[in-house]
Amino acid sequence: MRHSRAICVFLLCASAVVLYAFPAATLSYGALILFHLLVGVVLAVLILPFFLRLMRQESSSARFGWFLLALCAASGIVLIFVGTPMRLRPFLDAHILVGAAGSVAVLAAWMSARGWLGASAGTRTLRLAGLVIAAAAISAGASWARVELWDEAYRISNPAIAAATMNGEGGGPDGLYFPSSAQTRDGRRIPAKFFMQSQACERCHADIYKQWYSSAHHFSSFNNQWYRKSVEYMQDTVGVRPSKWCAGCHDPALLFSGEFDTPIKGRVDTPEANAGLSCLMCHSMVRVKSTMGQGDYMLEYPELHELAASENPIVRGMHDFMVRLDPEPHRRTFLKPFMHTETAEFCSACHKVHLDVPVNHYRWIRGFNEYDNWQASGVSGQGARSFYYPPKPQMCADCHMPLVRSNDDGNLDGYVHSHRFPGANSALPYVNEDQEQFETVRNFLQAGQVSVDIFAISPTGLPAGGRAEPQAEISTAFAVGEESELARPAGVPEPARPVTAPLGRVQAAVRRGDDVLVDVVVRTRNVGHFFPGGTVDAFDCWLELKATDDQGRTLFWSGMVEDGGKGPVEKGAHFYRSLQLDAHANPINKRNAWSTRAVMYVHLIPPGAADTVHFRLHVPEDSGKSMTLVAKLNYRKFSWWNTQFAFAGVRDPKASESERTPDYDDGSYVFTGDTSEDSGKRKGIPDLPIITMAEDTKVLPILPRSAPAPGPQVALAKDDWQRWNDYGIGLLLQGDLKGAEAAFEKITESDPRNVDGWVNIGRARVQEGDLQGAREVLEKALALSPSLARANFLYARVLKDEGKYDDAAARLRSVLGQYPRDRVARNELGRTLFLERRYADAVKEFEAVLQVDPEDLQAHYNLMLCYNGLGDEARAKKHEARYLRFKADEAANTITGAYRREHPEDNNERQAIHAHVSVPLAGLSGKLDARSDLSPAGHAGGN
């Protein structure tokens, strides 16, 4: 009996080490679990009936050991019935710890009984310590294999260099899924049903399943009418294969099964076409190959999943029993370390894209990109130069997968990460009539993500034509933020306008008959990427300003929505979007990004930054005694035109035949198509809800015409420093350097110890080229905070421009010591070393940049120069090829010429500094939301 107990203890210890160190979803591992369970039961049978005899006959150390093993056996029997979910993890850990301690104690007693511990007390102590150390070493090794080895095997890292063409991405032209970069681990297809069995997850994760079922991920495919129309249009225009570029992140059931190899029309109602991004799409990723996006991931088909989805209740029950008994193999199959430790990099696989020749028959252009601007910002904790930083760094899941209450298996302390993925898609729950999801999205949008501040008024003084934005700098259909140090709009700095600000603090007033400029500031507060994010060519996001007097009369309205609030936004509004043009200067309004050839303008706000918007307002002679200004930041998920097109758009049969090619579409469209078979519960063209994300109201007295003209007034208070800062940031990003500097100076005047004021004055002066002035204020900032990274970065810029390269490099190294992944700072260090002709040292810095972003344009350009300096022509050519691939097509700017002449409102919006005027107010009542003279006739429309 004693011999049998010893064998059981040995087998349990050996199997426990293997089970703990190397959990895996394999049949052999499952067999080992059952073996461990069986042996544990046998040991319990051998111990418990003879427990009292053991307590009387054995030595004290043996009694202690057998007591612990009895506890371990009893707890093991309990675990067979209750399982080991996360909430019971402490109980499992106690089971392991007690078993390990009991085994060591029994082994020590057994060795002592045979005299193997020695005769003397000192020898016994040393050998006993050695036994404990050996047991600890085995435990530590098992723990290292379980944690460190596992985590290290699933790190996301970038290749040393990006491919020279799109043909080098993913599986290449011969790949099954190209031009998507998606691949499978074994290179084979995956059955469609794998992605259609999310309901199998519901047995253990009912709350998560319900959340996902309502989410935009679920409705990513042809159960989404906007997506459906865009892919049908794309396949009709450029063919089926280029549309796989979309399918890698929208249609896994179709793509990986091969069903996307043929046109989708006629199959949009099949279960495969409506599966969306199922649970197993994201959770079966075993590798994210880079942060270049484009579906750059690798899937693995876990064949044991067929047990979970089996229709045989015995097989399914056995699977569930094994998962509850030891969830770790299941967790490791579907929750790789990068999914929670490198969340942003994981999400970058689909939330960052580019287009190239196999898709657009043109060249490389950037599509939407949530990752790079997050990575370079203060939100990530990786950017050294941000205006603002959150209390702690945040990743995607912190906002878009917040913790919610749940009793699901796998909950942590009663919470799970929400799989509703709250974001900005209010359209899908609206057409699906899912009120709970719609409320989730609306609450998210209105949860202080952005703020609006009617900040200042001043006499009108903007140049009539505004200031042109240097379009040669646009290298992307997206915006450029802190991930790139491209020059902002500049020129000869104009004097700062005297303003009355901040409104609400000063006693401001306007006078009848005067024209005034109203400055409204929009700031991103809880946004970790550009605002707005996502497909920025597709939706309506705009700033509305409306002025009414105390008699209810509308005095000014910019950003009005036509057709009673259901139609298009008036053309002169201040939009946040990317307006792109095809080769014939038609707007990209059908989600036809592959036809993009030029960018008219891009208006997005970086994370932790602001935009200052100017409105030119005339105060009528017959206005009342006061004026109420209401500014609203409005959001409609899809633009009015795109929604009409998606649900009912057809070629206008009355229009003359016009050509449609991959480069342009000159056709006219009417919105009279059949909507009865459209996706979504709501039939007909939906009137999408407009959500006001933020708003502000200010009331100003209106003085009689005979009164003296109100002069500028400024009130300074420490509490207003962020309002001045936001105002200045908005002006700085427009290139109004003197205006920005004047705003930042108000911060230092109210609080000379506010380091941000001095730093931001330095930003303006560095950009202006005023090196001496920048040095003065940056030295004040560094006196207050010597290690402040953004101040040291700007000071390094001054030193470099003065030719003090060693000093500049030392400053930049101090910055990189705090923020080693700041690409601009590292590029700046590399450039400084290049100017010293330290080419080899410079190469190391630029290559480090490419480890963060393999598509970094400046790094490739400078590496080309460095390798030329080193005489390495082959490497120089490699980086020249990447530089030419990623740089902008500057000649494309000529496409915008005719469009600008024909669309003065968009030409105004294109200017870096511009003002908005009111829509014509004839016939408008202050209580109406629409203008009858602007309502469209029916649902007709065109390009």
Side-chain angles (χ1 to χ4, degrees), residues 582-762:
D582 68 18
H584 283 187
N586 301 302
I588 300 298
N589 53 13
K590 296 176 281 295
R591 301 304 336 283
N592 50 325
W594 66 87
S595 294
T596 297
R597 298 294 180 268
V599 178
M600 183 65 184
Y601 64 80
V602 184
H603 282 172
L604 303 175
I605 309 176
D611 180 37
T612 299
V613 188
H614 312 288
F615 296 92
R616 192 187 302 270
L617 183 153
H618 176 73
V619 184
E621 295 280 3
D622 57 350
S623 56
K625 296 181 180 180
S626 66
M627 174 191 297
T628 299
L629 295 169
V630 179
K632 296 180 180 180
L633 183 65
N634 297 319
Y635 185 89
R636 179 163 56 185
K637 172 57 186 174
F638 293 105
S639 69
W640 178 89
W641 199 98
N642 183 252
T643 295
Q644 306 296 307
F645 173 76
F647 282 78
V650 294
R651 297 284 284 228
D652 187 352
K654 298 179 181 179
S656 58
E657 187 65 26
S658 54
E659 193 173 9
R660 181 173 73 184
T661 76
D663 299 306
Y664 57 85
D665 184 352
D666 292 335
S668 294
Y669 291 82
V670 292
F671 309 132
T672 57
D674 180 15
T675 63
S676 62
E677 299 299 324
D678 286 347
S679 301
K681 288 185 178 180
R682 254 181 232 271
K683 300 306 177 183
I685 304 175
D687 294 319
L688 292 184
I690 294 171
I691 296 174
T692 298
M693 295 185 62
E695 64 180 295
D696 188 31
T697 301
K698 294 290 190 299
V699 179
L700 302 177
I702 299 177
L703 304 177
R705 182 63 180 169
S706 58
Q713 301 179 56
V714 170
L716 298 180
K718 283 185 179 182
D719 292 345
D720 288 332
W721 82 268
Q722 286 195 21
R723 294 185 70 191
W724 283 107
N725 202 43
D726 296 343
Y727 180 61
I729 291 168
L731 297 177
L732 178 72
L733 297 182
Q734 294 171 3
D736 184 357
L737 304 181
K738 289 299 185 183
E741 182 177 339
F744 297 140
E745 283 174 347
K746 299 299 186 291
I747 302 172
T748 61
E749 291 172 17
S750 62
D751 183 7
R753 297 195 61 79
N754 188 314
V755 69
D756 285 283
W758 300 113
V759 169
N760 290 336
I761 295 171

Side-chain angles (χ1 to χ4, degrees), residues 37-199:
L37 183 154
L38 180 62
V39 174
V41 171
V42 171
L43 181 63
V45 171
L46 294 175
I47 291 178
L48 298 180
F50 305 100
F51 183 68
L52 294 178
R53 186 187 305 171
L54 288 171
M55 290 297 100
R56 290 194 301 268
Q57 294 177 352
E58 300 289 346
S59 64
S60 58
S61 61
R63 288 199 300 271
F64 177 67
W66 286 116
F67 174 75
L68 293 179
L69 288 175
L71 285 178
C72 180
S75 64
I77 292 173
V78 173
L79 289 173
I80 292 173
F81 292 97
V82 301
T84 59
M86 292 299 294
R87 67 179 182 275
L88 296 180
R89 185 56 189 266
F91 192 53
L92 174 62
D93 291 340
H95 169 76
I96 295 171
L97 183 62
V98 169
S103 299
V104 170
V106 169
L107 179 59
W110 183 78
M111 293 174 66
S112 177
R114 284 156 180 74
W116 291 1
L117 293 181
S120 66
T123 302
R124 290 173 61 86
T125 301
L126 287 174
R127 291 182 179 177
L128 186 60
L131 179 62
V132 173
I133 291 171
I138 293 172
S139 300
S143 179
W144 175 83
R146 181 184 180 91
V147 179
E148 301 298 331
L149 191 63
W150 171 249
D151 287 350
E152 194 61 34
Y154 290 95
R155 301 278 185 195
I156 298 174
S157 60
N158 283 312
I161 189 169
T165 70
M166 197 178 205
N167 288 343
E169 297 173 356
D174 296 329
L176 294 173
Y177 316 116
F178 186 79
S180 170
S181 294
Q183 294 175 282
T184 57
R185 173 169 276 184
D186 59 8
R188 296 186 294 177
R189 296 196 183 277
I190 297 177
K193 67 175 184 178
F194 175 69
F195 300 100
M196 299 162 58
Q197 295 171 327
S198 294
Q199 201 161 4

Side-chain angles (χ1 to χ4, degrees), residues 220-224 227-228 231 251 254 260 264 268 273-274 679:
S220 69
S221 192
F222 296 96
N223 47 7
N224 174 339
Y227 177 75
R228 170 182 167 179
V231 173
D251 311 288
L254 296 171
F260 214 90
I264 192 61
V268 293
N274 287 266
S679 301

Side-chain angles (χ1 to χ4, degrees), residues 557 560-564 568 570-571 918-925 928-937:
W557 200 349
M560 187 194 72
V561 180
E562 302 172 8
D563 195 16
E570 59 100 355
K571 296 179 180 179
S918 177
V919 298
L921 298 175
L924 262 184
S925 166
L928 292 180
D929 289 327
R931 295 170 48 216
S932 58
D933 58 319
L934 284 182
S935 298

Side-chain angles (χ1 to χ4, degrees), residues 157-162 290-292 352 821-823 826-827 843-864 867 878-879 882-883 886:
S157 60
N158 283 312
I161 189 169
S290 76
T291 59
M292 290 185 283
K352 176 182 176 180
R821 286 173 59 83
D822 188 293
R823 283 174 283 151
R826 201 166 287 282
N827 266 325
V843 163
K844 293 179 183 178
E845 300 302 327
F846 294 128
E847 287 181 341
V849 171
L850 296 183
Q851 284 299 299
V852 180
D853 179 17
E855 298 165 319
D856 190 284
L857 188 68
Q858 295 180 57
H860 284 298
Y861 175 75
N862 285 300
L863 281 166
M864 175 184 71
Y867 281 122
K878 283 185 177 181
H879 290 284
R882 275 74 180 173
Y883 170 71
F886 300 136

Side-chain angles (χ1 to χ4, degrees), residues 196-205 209 279-280 305 307-310 316 319-320 330:
M196 299 162 58
Q197 295 171 327
S198 294
Q199 201 161 4
C201 306
E202 185 182 16
R203 297 200 301 272
C204 296
H205 304 288
Y209 175 81
C279 306
L280 295 171
H305 165 73
L307 301 179
S310 173
R316 193 169 61 242
H319 167 272
D320 291 355
H330 176 80

Side-chain angles (χ1 to χ4, degrees), residues 152-436:
E152 194 61 34
Y154 290 95
R155 301 278 185 195
I156 298 174
S157 60
N158 283 312
I161 189 169
T165 70
M166 197 178 205
N167 288 343
E169 297 173 356
D174 296 329
L176 294 173
Y177 316 116
F178 186 79
S180 170
S181 294
Q183 294 175 282
T184 57
R185 173 169 276 184
D186 59 8
R188 296 186 294 177
R189 296 196 183 277
I190 297 177
K193 67 175 184 178
F194 175 69
F195 300 100
M196 299 162 58
Q197 295 171 327
S198 294
Q199 201 161 4
C201 306
E202 185 182 16
R203 297 200 301 272
C204 296
H205 304 288
D207 289 344
I208 290 176
Y209 175 81
K210 179 183 177 183
Q211 294 158 9
W212 164 83
Y213 193 86
S214 293
S215 74
H217 278 191
H218 179 204
F219 294 95
S220 69
S221 192
F222 296 96
N223 47 7
N224 174 339
Q225 181 61 30
W226 288 273
Y227 177 75
R228 170 182 167 179
K229 182 73 170 188
S230 69
V231 173
E232 290 175 344
Y233 176 82
M234 183 179 189
Q235 292 187 348
D236 288 344
T237 306
V238 298
V240 172
R241 191 171 196 199
S243 68
K244 290 184 179 181
W245 174 75
C246 308
C249 288
H250 283 267
D251 311 288
L254 296 171
L255 179 68
F256 290 102
S257 66
E259 294 185 42
F260 214 90
D261 292 348
T262 56
I264 192 61
K265 280 187 177 178
R267 296 184 293 119
V268 293
D269 293 325
T270 63
E272 294 84 351
N274 287 266
L277 292 178
S278 66
C279 306
L280 295 171
M281 164 60 185
C282 295
H283 286 283
S284 63
M285 286 188 193
V286 293
R287 185 182 168 202
V288 175
K289 297 175 285 179
S290 76
T291 59
M292 290 185 283
Q294 203 71 13
D296 202 13
Y297 59 80
M298 186 173 286
L299 295 187
E300 181 177 56
Y301 176 55
E303 294 188 3
L304 291 186
H305 165 73
E306 295 180 10
L307 301 179
S310 173
E311 295 182 4
N312 185 317
I314 297 176
V315 173
R316 193 169 61 242
M318 187 62 185
H319 167 272
D320 291 355
F321 169 74
M322 296 294 290
V323 169
R324 290 182 183 277
L325 190 62
D326 184 0
E328 190 62 25
H330 176 80
R331 188 180 298 119
R332 291 192 172 210
T333 300
F334 297 115
L335 192 65
K336 297 296 187 288
F338 56 71
M339 296 180 184
H340 52 87
T341 61
E342 298 176 280
T343 308
E345 287 73 19
F346 173 45
C347 297
S348 76
C350 283
H351 289 269
K352 176 182 176 180
V353 301
H354 59 266
L355 300 87
D356 211 331
V357 175
V359 179
N360 62 10
H361 305 278
Y362 173 48
R363 57 164 297 141
W364 188 95
I365 62 169
R366 168 64 66 211
F368 80 93
N369 180 359
E370 312 291 40
Y371 176 76
D372 284 348
N373 47 90
W374 167 85
Q375 186 276 322
S377 74
V379 178
S380 70
Q382 299 177 36
R385 299 156 292 106
S386 294
F387 295 107
Y388 293 107
Y389 289 80
K392 64 178 183 178
Q394 294 180 305
M395 294 191 293
C396 309
D398 292 321
C399 295
H400 297 290
M401 296 185 71
L403 291 172
V404 293
R405 277 282 186 190
S406 174
N407 292 320
D408 274 7
D409 287 343
N411 75 79
L412 290 173
D413 299 323
Y415 289 90
V416 297
H417 285 282
S418 174
H419 283 62
R420 289 186 179 276
F421 305 104
N425 199 323
S426 55
L428 286 172
Y430 180 76
V431 298
N432 291 330
E433 299 180 348
D434 187 336
Q435 187 63 29
E436 186 175 359

